[in-house]
Amino acid sequence: MAKERYYEPAPDHIDVAEFRKVVDSRRSVRKFTDKPIPADVLNDCLDMALLAPNSSNLQQWEFYVVKSPDKKAKLVEACLNQNAAGTAAELIVIVARTTSWREHARMTLEQWPQPTVPKIVQDYYGRLALFYYSQGPLGSWGLVKRGIAQVAGLFKPVPRGPFSATDMKVWAAKSVSLASENLMLALRAHGFDSCPMEGFDEVRVKRLLKLPKDAFVVMVLGAGERAKDGVYYPRLRFDRRRFVHEV
C-alpha cells in the first residue's frame, strides 16, 4: 500500500499588484504621528511575523512589545534618542535566541499536528538536531564537528556549521530577520509603517528587558502611522546587475 502523503495546495488568485504595492511602499520611516496602532492590528502583524520560514522550524525569535512608559522612555534613550524611536506608537525589540532550539525540538515532538509523529521527524528532533546544534562545553563538540566536516567534505557535500557560538548567532539571526521582514510588511499592509533600527546600546537594552544570557537583539522596530515628513529622502537602489547574477 502506498504511503499516504500530506498535501497543502497553494491558494489561487493572490493579487500580485497589491503585494507589490505593499513591498514598494514599505519605507524606513523616521517620524510618526501620534495615532496609536489598534491592538488587534498589532497582534495580527505579530502573528504574521511568526509564520516566517525558519531553520528546522525551531523558531529562534522573541518579540518584546514595550508597553511600560518608563521602559519605553529608557528604550528610546538606549536607541540614541532617534526620532524613529521617540515618535513611534510602538517599540518592538526583536530578539534571537541561540539555546531555545533544544526546548523547541522537544516541543515539536510533543505538539506535532497529526496523531502520529513520522519517524523521520522523530529521528530529526530526537537525535539529529542534537548533533547539528549542540556545541558542547567551551565549544568542544563544535570543534569535533568542524574536523569531521573538513574530512568528510573532501569526498561529498556536507553542512559546514554551525560549529561555534558565533555560528549559532548567525544561524539564529537569519531566521529572526525573515520574521522581522514579515512584521514590517504586515504593518504596511495594515496602513502603518516601521523603522528597523540598528543604532542602539545593546547592553542597555538587554539589561532593560532582563534578557537571558543567550539572547541578542537583532533590531529595535519603531512602528506607527507615517508622518508627512516621515521619509527623509527618496529611495536609492543600485543597478540590479550589481546584485543579480545568472550563472
Side-chain angles (χ1 to χ4, degrees), residues 77-98:
E77 183 180 2
C79 290
L80 315 179
N81 292 303
Q82 296 179 59
N83 250 359
T87 64
E90 299 286 352
L91 285 175
I92 305 167
V93 182
I94 303 176
V95 170
R97 300 287 304 275
T98 59

Side-chain angles (χ1 to χ4, degrees), residues 82-165:
Q82 296 179 59
N83 250 359
T87 64
E90 299 286 352
L91 285 175
I92 305 167
V93 182
I94 303 176
V95 170
R97 300 287 304 275
T98 59
T99 64
S100 62
W101 64 267
R102 192 182 296 272
E103 182 180 8
H104 291 176
R106 175 182 58 78
M107 289 169 61
T108 297
L109 296 177
E110 292 174 351
Q111 300 180 25
W112 189 252
Q114 294 173 307
T116 303
V117 182
K119 185 178 184 305
I120 189 171
V121 174
Q122 294 181 39
D123 289 345
Y124 185 80
Y125 291 102
R127 296 188 298 105
L128 289 177
L130 300 178
F131 174 84
Y132 286 134
Y133 301 119
S134 295
Q135 302 305 322
L138 301 177
S140 55
W141 176 229
L143 292 174
V144 171
K145 291 192 295 181
R146 187 186 300 275
I148 293 172
Q150 287 176 338
V151 173
L154 296 173
F155 306 99
K156 62 180 181 180
V158 296
R160 304 285 180 155
F163 298 144
S164 67

Side-chain angles (χ1 to χ4, degrees), residues 149-232:
Q150 287 176 338
V151 173
L154 296 173
F155 306 99
K156 62 180 181 180
V158 296
R160 304 285 180 155
F163 298 144
S164 67
T166 299
D167 288 352
M168 290 298 290
K169 290 186 74 172
V170 173
W171 169 78
K174 289 178 183 178
S175 293
V176 174
S177 295
L178 293 172
S180 302
E181 180 71 359
N182 265 27
L183 177 56
M184 288 183 275
L185 292 177
L187 283 162
R188 180 84 286 279
H190 273 289
F192 291 93
D193 282 288
S194 61
C195 183
M197 290 174 278
E198 291 187 295
F200 56 84
D201 185 327
E202 185 175 13
V203 172
R204 281 179 165 79
V205 175
K206 290 185 70 171
R207 187 186 304 137
L208 176 66
L209 300 180
K210 296 181 172 59
L211 296 180
K213 185 177 180 181
D214 73 301
F216 65 97
V217 181
V218 175
M219 67 183 75
V220 179
L221 191 73
E225 182 186 55
R226 182 186 309 194
K228 288 184 178 180
D229 55 348
V231 177
Y232 286 178

Side-chain angles (χ1 to χ4, degrees), residues 30-45:
R30 310 289 175 174
K31 185 178 178 183
F32 301 97
T33 73
D34 57 3
K35 178 180 178 179
I37 301 176
D40 61 330
V41 170
L42 183 59
N43 284 327
D44 187 47
C45 294

